[in-house]
Structures are given as C-alpha cells and as structure tokens.
Amino acid sequence: MRKISREMPAEWAHEVLDAAPYITVSMTLADGTPYALPLSLARGSENVFYFHGAQMGLKMETLKLHPEVCLSAVTRCKPVVGPKDNSFTLEYRSAIAFGRAETVTDETERIEAMRAICLRFLPHHMPAFEEAVKKSMAHTAIVRITLSAPPTGKRKEFDANGEEMKYGRMK
C-alpha cells in the first residue's frame, strides 16, 4: 500500500466487505484476460464468503479453471472539496482480499450459505426462506470463497475539523 497512513486493520476491512452493496470478484479467463463481476456476497465466517448463481456459464467455467480470485469493495464513497486546501478529492472506505473459489456440494453448507445470503440482503423475508430454497436449490450453484489471508482496508475520511483521519484514527 503506497499511503500506509490510510491503512486500516483486517477487522475494519471485514466491516467494509460486510457493508458494501456488492463486492467485485476478479478472476482470470482461460486466455488470461481479466474478468471482474460485481456480485452479492455474504460472509459465512471470518475467512469465508458465499455467492450464488447459475450452475453454468462463463463465471462458473472460469472459476473451475482458475479458482484464484480477488475481492474488492468500496463504501461511503463521495466526492468532496478538501476542507483545508480546497482540492477536489474523494472520501471512501475500501477493502481488498484474495482467496480461492470452489463450488459447494455439501447440501447442509449450501443451505446455510443461502441463509447467510438471504439474511444479508432480504432479512425481512426470512419467513419465506424454507419454501424459496426448496424451489431453487436444484438449479442454483453456491460458490465458497475462502480467503488466503486477512483482508486489507484503506480509507480517506476527514474529521469535523477538516483533518484527515490517518493511521487508523477513528475520531
């Protein structure tokens, strides 16, 4: 990381990943071309994320061939005028993580992954979860991404006095 003063701890980076409306998953196509998709991921545990989708297609073919992925997410992104120098800048919180993707075949884990996804994105509709999962699981792929190292976080934010909060300072 070039600006070490903006680095944030792994726990903070997990919060960014958990709060982002989607996480971009980057992978490598068979011919070496980069391929990145914004997906709706949910965290299953400290180092595990899940997403679901069609059982066939470019994404699934790519992950079978090259399971190494990079996750990236940004939250609280807003353009601002620098409070001290009137520069045009951007406040943000971001996180990046690397991992390995694999299709989940264990039925119990598949259901728990779908539960995590639904709890994250549709928590008010959980009474309908059991029926919905029964209808969809036969034609749904579940992918687990296991992180190979803790995520890293970075931010640029100003406090009420217009000072950039550096070196993990929260207030």
Side-chain angles (χ1 to χ4, degrees):
M1 184 173 307
R2 188 174 67 83
K3 290 199 173 183
I4 200 74
S5 64
R6 293 186 179 154
E7 185 175 5
M8 298 297 286
E11 302 80 32
W12 186 93
H14 271 300
E15 290 174 14
V16 170
L17 291 165
D18 291 340
Y22 59 86
I23 297 171
T24 300
V25 179
S26 299
M27 54 196 92
T28 307
L29 295 175
D31 68 359
T33 303
Y35 183 54
L37 295 169
L39 299 172
S40 301
L41 273 69
R43 187 155 49 126
S45 67
E46 180 85 10
N47 297 321
V48 173
F49 288 83
Y50 294 101
F51 68 87
H52 75 293
Q55 292 178 340
M56 298 172 65
L58 182 59
K59 174 176 52 195
M60 296 306 290
E61 291 170 19
T62 299
L63 291 174
K64 284 179 189 170
L65 190 59
H66 296 291
E68 298 79 19
V69 297
C70 177
L71 309 180
S72 63
V74 179
T75 63
R76 295 193 183 185
C77 187
K78 69 176 184 177
V80 297
V81 175
K84 296 288 184 180
D85 62 2
N86 289 324
S87 63
F88 293 1
T89 191
L90 193 67
E91 283 190 314
Y92 63 87
R93 292 180 175 188
S94 67
I96 189 168
F98 296 91
R100 185 173 184 84
E102 59 188 315
T103 303
V104 178
T105 57
D106 176 76
E107 200 61 25
T108 301
E109 185 180 1
R110 287 170 47 80
I111 292 169
E112 287 311 305
M114 284 301 292
R115 187 180 315 282
I117 293 166
C118 290
L119 280 169
R120 174 156 188 230
F121 294 102
L122 294 167
H124 296 6
H125 295 281
M126 290 310 290
F129 175 78
E130 296 297 331
E131 183 179 333
V133 86
K134 283 179 190 173
K135 288 180 185 176
S136 66
M137 290 304 276
H139 57 271
T140 301
I142 307 293
V143 176
R144 175 193 327 109
I145 296 174
T146 305
L147 301 186
S148 53
T152 58
K154 184 177 173 182
R155 69 145 186 219
K156 184 174 186 179
E157 290 182 287
F158 297 99
D159 65 16
N161 297 319
E163 297 292 330
E164 186 177 345
M165 296 188 291
K166 295 183 177 185
Y167 298 103
R169 185 173 70 107
M170 297 308 291
K171 294 183 181 189

